[in-house]
Amino acid sequence: STLVRVAKSASTLGIAIEGGANTRQPLPRIVTIQRGGSAHNCGQLRVGQVILEVNGVSLRGREHRDAARIIAEAFKTKERDHVDFLVTEFNVAL
Amino acid sequence: VREKRLTLPPSEITML
């Protein structure tokens, strides 16, 4: 797995995720990276990567909306000017 | 186990 630090360089994070506990994709997977968003500007996130942790918080066992909320709040908080993602190329939960 | 997995629903997609 890889730790990717995404600076909040744009007003949006700019990723779409699918998956979460109790779905076919048990951990959130990146399905889109929008051009011009912070994630795209960072240059290290890729479509297909699975998000294991956000700012050290594990997404394992979290349902889709809960995982999405955690990511959204990590981007929104003014406590940090970045979001740390632990990602992997592999579907470790499958 | 494989059959059980196939019964799991697809996930919605959220843009963040």
Side-chain angles (χ1 to χ4, degrees):
Chain A
S1 52
T2 310
L3 187 64
V4 176
R5 176 160 290 188
V6 176
K8 297 177 184 175
S9 60
S11 61
T12 61
L13 177 58
I15 64 171
I17 58 160
E18 69 169 1
N22 303 318
T23 74
R24 289 174 198 163
Q25 172 61 45
L27 279 163
R29 190 175 71 96
I30 299 172
V31 291
T32 307
I33 297 180
Q34 280 191 323
R35 198 163 295 182
S38 296
H40 182 262
N41 293 346
C42 154
Q44 293 183 72
L45 290 178
R46 298 282 179 265
V47 167
Q49 286 173 328
V50 172
I51 303 172
L52 304 174
E53 294 181 4
V54 178
N55 289 341
V57 175
S58 174
L59 298 186
R60 193 176 296 272
R62 299 192 190 268
E63 296 199 343
H64 178 80
R65 286 181 190 195
D66 196 21
R69 179 186 56 78
I70 288 169
I71 296 168
E73 287 180 357
F75 188 76
K76 199 169 73 174
T77 182
K78 294 187 165 95
E79 288 171 21
R80 289 187 184 85
D81 60 2
H82 59 266
V83 183
D84 286 330
F85 290 95
L86 186 65
V87 298
T88 177
E89 309 296 329
F90 305 103
N91 245 324
V92 290
L94 286 178
Chain B
V1 176
R2 188 175 186 84
E3 282 174 16
K4 189 179 176 186
R5 276 187 202 137
L6 291 173
T7 66
L8 287 170
S11 169
E12 56 193 305
I13 293 176
T14 300
M15 190 72 213
L16 294 159

